[in-house]
Amino acid sequence: MAALEVRDLEVRFAGLGQPALAIPELELEAGARVAVTGPSGCGKTTLLNMLTGLECVRHGHVAWAGTDLASLGEGPRDRWRAAHVGLVMQDFHLFPGLSALDNVLLPQRLSRWRLPAGLADEARRLLDRVGLPDPRQKAETLSRGQMQRVAVARALLARPDILVADEPTASLDAEAGAAVADLLLALADETGATLIVATHDPRLAGRLTRTLRLDAGRLI
Ligand SMILES: Nc1ncnc2c1ncn2[C@@H]1O[C@H](COP(=O)(O)OP(=O)(O)O)[C@@H](O)[C@H]1O
Ligand SMILES: [Mg+2]
């Protein structure tokens, strides 16, 4: 069975004549390494929002290992996402005033009564793995490349089987971008996660095994 099966997915926003996204059929194998490319406004972020359950599927089906996100209400969809998806956003979404370590732990702190034993150690191990020298450093004092590394560590803490990154190298210089791309690929390899990366960066896209090219919301 494919890890992901999309059927008849359509997303419309008020005021847009055309659907922002129209994907009759798409399948991905578990462990796939996929780039989503295309010009600005072509629907990359909209697609990632549908695949990760950030937005509700109103038309069509998005099924991961047989779980159709279209059939889940908001609460179950949030729980499904917390259990299965690690998200790396373009602009990091780190909280200033909190340390790198506390930023990595924050989603788990918010979704549980208490942190499971060993999770803080695991977060420190991940920060070390992504190459952050001091886990106590405050988020706002990090370089952009370091912030993106913290965001990668945070996405991985819950050991997601689906790792999704939205233009993870777009706001980084070439060197920091290459380092973050190395990390995403290495960590996805280590965990066997399915990796989906929206990117304009041909060097990053070239390192993934499959490219989905979007144009005006359609796969070409
Ligand atoms: N919340 C929204 N409301 C209205 N239109 C939106 C919304 N989000 C995205 N769009 C439109 O949908 C299209 C696809 O956007 P997006 O998925 O963000 O593209 P990309 O990530 O490829 O730059 C664009 O035309 C954008 O303006
Ligand atoms: Mg986008």
Side-chain angles (χ1 to χ4, degrees):
M1 188 174 62
L4 170 69
E5 293 187 10
V6 175
R7 297 278 180 270
D8 302 321
L9 177 63
E10 229 181 76
V11 179
R12 289 175 180 274
F13 293 116
L16 283 185
Q18 299 274 339
L21 201 62
I23 298 185
E25 190 175 349
L26 171 66
E27 291 189 0
L28 299 180
E29 299 303 316
R33 305 271 175 271
V34 182
V36 180
T37 64
S40 188
C42 70
K44 300 182 294 297
T45 297
T46 303
L47 176 60
L48 297 188
N49 288 346
M50 304 313 289
L51 297 185
T52 56
L54 274 173
E55 298 287 344
C56 165
V57 178
R58 296 183 196 282
H59 185 289
H61 301 277
V62 173
W64 282 101
T67 300
D68 188 352
L69 303 187
S71 71
L72 302 181
E74 196 170 331
R77 207 170 67 233
D78 285 347
R79 286 192 288 280
W80 174 85
R81 191 172 57 254
H84 294 281
V85 180
L87 264 174
V88 182
M89 314 282 229
Q90 179 170 357
D91 43 7
F92 326 130
H93 291 270
L94 298 187
F95 279 79
L98 293 184
S99 68
L101 178 66
D102 285 330
N103 266 284
V104 172
L105 289 169
L106 188 64
Q108 303 301 318
R109 286 218 166 95
L110 293 176
S111 67
R112 301 164 188 255
W113 281 107
R114 59 168 64 208
L115 281 184
L119 207 63
D121 285 341
E122 174 67 9
R124 280 190 201 90
R125 195 191 64 80
L126 274 168
L127 283 170
D128 185 52
R129 179 74 180 74
V130 301
L132 204 81
D134 180 5
R136 293 162 308 179
Q137 193 174 344
K138 294 277 192 249
E140 67 275 18
T141 68
L142 299 168
S143 71
R144 298 184 71 77
Q146 288 174 325
M147 287 184 188
Q148 193 59 297
R149 288 158 182 252
V150 173
V152 170
R154 179 180 56 189
L156 285 159
L157 183 61
R159 298 177 185 272
D161 42 348
I162 305 163
L163 183 56
V164 173
D166 196 355
E167 309 213 26
T169 62
S171 64
L172 306 179
D173 62 39
E175 196 179 331
V180 164
D182 285 346
L183 261 175
L184 279 172
L185 283 158
L187 294 166
D189 276 344
E190 280 168 30
T191 63
T194 301
L195 176 65
I196 304 177
V197 185
T199 184
H200 279 109
D201 181 348
R203 284 162 306 185
L204 174 50
R207 298 178 62 186
L208 303 168
T209 50
R210 183 170 170 196
T211 296
L212 303 176
R213 214 171 294 280
L214 275 174
D215 184 36
R218 285 155 206 279
L219 289 175
I220 53 175

